[in-house]
Amino acid sequence: MPYRPTEKTEARKKAQYNLLLTTALTLVANEGFQNLTIALLAEQAQVAIGTVYKYFDSKADLCAAVFRRGTEKEVAQVQLAAFPEESDLSCEQRLENAIQVFSERALKGYRLAYALIAEPVDAMVQQERLKYRQAYGEIFEALIKEAISANEFCQQDVHVSAAALVGTLAETILGSIGGHISEAKEIDQQNLIKNIQGFCIRALK
């Protein structure tokens, strides 16, 4: 008779998997993907190295899973700002809010933002990064379409405009600080965000 895991066993496996991902994400937020290793994760999670390999085939597999976990919440927050459940805000106001949320979260967790957006990574993680950027692009594309229908923005190629917005956000947030992560808290963040919002709105109108 084949072995069938019990609900308790499955719950324990899920809890351990989540512990490993949460611990790995914290490591990436502090040190980046380059410094995440199976051995260090095992040490930090207080498990055997073999336990980590039960859930992840390699460091690349681990990093890809961590990337997915790290981006889920970020994309969800921007989605909520762009399309709140109940709101009478204009499309322009919702776009400004989405830019505000993205920018504030990136600046608050700059080391993690750099890891997700620009840190050199292997091919498996790079594939996840493309999906990450596409997810933001789809949010902006839907919002721009709605704005055009409402005569708030001019007619345009919404796919190109959405991709340009994603690139603008990534480059301006990271480029304003460069590689000096320690300076992230020293810049005038609200003025930076206001300038990004103004540029994006002008480009779309």
Side-chain angles (χ1 to χ4, degrees), residues 63-120:
C63 287
V66 172
F67 192 98
R68 287 191 294 271
R69 174 63 64 90
T71 56
E72 285 172 359
K73 188 174 184 179
E74 302 307 315
V75 172
Q77 292 298 312
V78 173
Q79 172 75 32
L80 183 61
F83 296 99
E85 292 183 6
E86 294 184 14
S87 174
D88 57 359
L89 296 176
S90 67
C91 297
E92 180 176 331
Q93 289 172 313
R94 285 185 279 132
L95 177 59
E96 289 182 343
N97 289 346
I99 293 171
Q100 181 97 17
V101 167
F102 177 94
S103 302
E104 286 182 343
R105 293 181 67 84
L107 290 166
K108 182 179 180 181
Y110 182 76
R111 188 62 188 82
L112 177 60
Y114 173 76
L116 297 178
I117 296 171
E119 181 181 350

Side-chain angles (χ1 to χ4, degrees), residues 141-180:
E141 189 169 330
L143 188 52
I144 294 169
K145 283 182 180 178
E146 183 181 338
I148 292 173
S149 297
N151 294 317
E152 291 186 45
F153 295 164
C154 66
Q155 290 292 332
Q156 57 198 282
D157 187 320
V158 294
H159 182 73
V160 171
S161 296
L165 279 183
V166 175
T168 296
L169 289 173
E171 292 301 320
T172 50
I173 292 296
L174 295 174
S176 295
I177 305 169
H180 305 291

